[in-house]
Amino acid sequence: MIQNYRDLTRLEMEQIDRKNTIVMIPVGALEQHGNQAPLGTDDIIAEAMLDYLKEELSEDFPMLYFPVIPVGLSTEHKNFCGSITLKPDTYYHMLHDICESLHHHGFKKIAFLVCHGGNAPIIQVLSRELRSEYGMSAFILSSGAFAHPEVKATISEGNVWDFHGGEMETSMVMAVHPECVKLDTAVAGYPKSFAENKALLPYGAVTIGWVSEDWTDAKGNPIGIGGNPKGATAEKGEIILRVSAKQLVPGLLEMLKWNS
């Protein structure tokens, strides 16, 4: 049964099959997403993904979903107003302590729903440490199937750099909280520092620890996002959220069988 962790009483929690139940922990962020999208974009997407997953999974699927962790590792965005970040060791130890508590109560399976890419390196390290230290199975899920053909088809023609705070993320927010998006203020972002490169890029085989200032508007002013959000629509966001949720279902079903 899919339930909200925080809604259960102590007595109800004692009756949960804690060995086989998956505790899903959505990890978001509070950081700039351009002129048009809210600081809480990643948290909004995380909350939406849980709703979409509940539609895709059977009612008896054994999962508890944890409150969204609203602040993460956002070092790359810290120079843009409103962005909040934890230090890497602070973030690691916070998540470790949550999982240690879950282990103390007998939970064996954790699924981190990663809704901000900057959180992923810490969670990858943590997942191995939890398995080594406690014998817990810590799975890692991505909140966006951004490489899926149906999702890529939502990107407007000519929008070749869609990335953080771009058309796809803005569309996802518009699908659930359109009042939070100010599309009339949107400005496109380009990776100016990498524009002439063929090998050294912001992502790929050869890269660097980029910061948001590497992404600028057409005049070279730091804008901190990739791509042009102006083509974002709620309809596109609905497609991205639904496809992304569907892509997670096979993995979640296999997590139930995982017992090593």
Side-chain angles (χ1 to χ4, degrees):
M1 184 175 180
I2 303 174
Q3 300 178 85
N4 191 329
Y5 188 102
R6 69 183 182 190
D7 289 347
L8 299 184
T9 67
R10 175 177 57 81
L11 293 177
E12 289 172 325
M13 187 64 82
E14 289 174 352
Q15 297 168 31
I16 294 290
D17 179 2
R18 297 187 293 281
K19 180 179 178 181
N20 296 305
T21 296
I22 297 170
V23 180
M24 178 172 284
I25 303 178
V27 287
L30 193 60
E31 61 187 31
Q32 69 86 23
H33 280 78
N35 294 349
Q36 80 294 338
L39 295 166
T41 288
D42 295 326
D43 295 344
I44 290 170
I45 291 172
E47 292 167 355
M49 281 300 299
L50 293 171
D51 291 334
Y52 278 81
L53 278 172
K54 283 189 284 185
E55 293 179 12
E56 299 296 332
L57 295 166
S58 63
E59 289 186 3
D60 62 350
F61 189 83
M63 184 171 79
L64 295 178
Y65 57 96
F66 206 75
V68 175
I69 308 297
V71 179
L73 186 61
S74 300
T75 307
E76 67 272 32
H77 303 291
K78 69 179 183 180
N79 291 329
F80 284 76
C81 192
S83 298
I84 305 295
T85 187
L86 300 176
K87 289 182 171 61
D89 57 339
T90 302
Y91 188 53
Y92 176 91
H93 287 294
M94 179 189 69
L95 294 177
H96 181 279
D97 288 354
I98 290 171
C99 294
E100 184 179 44
S101 295
L102 292 169
H103 171 263
H104 182 71
H105 296 300
F107 286 101
K108 301 296 184 183
K109 297 181 180 181
I110 309 295
F112 290 105
L113 179 64
V114 180
C115 304
H116 164 51
N119 294 338
I122 294 292
I123 290 169
Q124 288 166 357
V125 172
L126 175 63
S127 67
R128 291 189 177 94
E129 291 299 308
L130 292 172
R131 194 171 181 189
S132 174
E133 189 175 355
Y134 298 121
M136 300 180 79
S137 296
F139 307 97
I140 304 173
L141 310 177
S142 173
S143 66
F146 298 121
H148 192 283
E150 289 183 55
V151 173
K152 292 174 72 174
T154 66
I155 302 174
S156 299
E157 185 176 355
N159 185 15
V160 297
W161 288 107
D162 199 70
F163 188 52
H164 170 81
E167 184 175 5
M168 289 189 288
E169 281 198 315
T170 302
S171 292
M172 294 166 84
V173 176
M174 292 178 73
V176 288
H177 282 296
E179 74 281 1
C180 293
V181 175
K182 313 299 187 296
L183 208 56
D184 59 317
T185 67
V187 175
Y190 309 92
K192 182 182 178 184
S193 301
F194 304 88
E196 305 301 323
N197 294 359
K198 296 187 182 301
L200 175 57
L201 297 170
Y203 36 76
V206 182
T207 186
I208 188 174
W210 59 268
V211 293
S212 290
E213 288 87 343
D214 291 328
W215 298 80
T216 71
D217 62 19
K219 296 180 179 179
N221 301 308
I223 191 66
I225 70 165
N228 191 345
K230 293 182 180 179
T233 67
E235 291 73 22
K236 291 179 179 180
E238 166 75 18
I239 292 170
I240 298 168
L241 288 164
R242 192 162 300 284
V243 169
S244 297
K246 287 180 180 291
Q247 287 295 107
L248 294 179
V249 171
L252 283 164
L253 293 174
E254 291 182 358
M255 287 177 202
L256 290 183
K257 304 174 186 176
W258 184 271
N259 56 14
S260 61

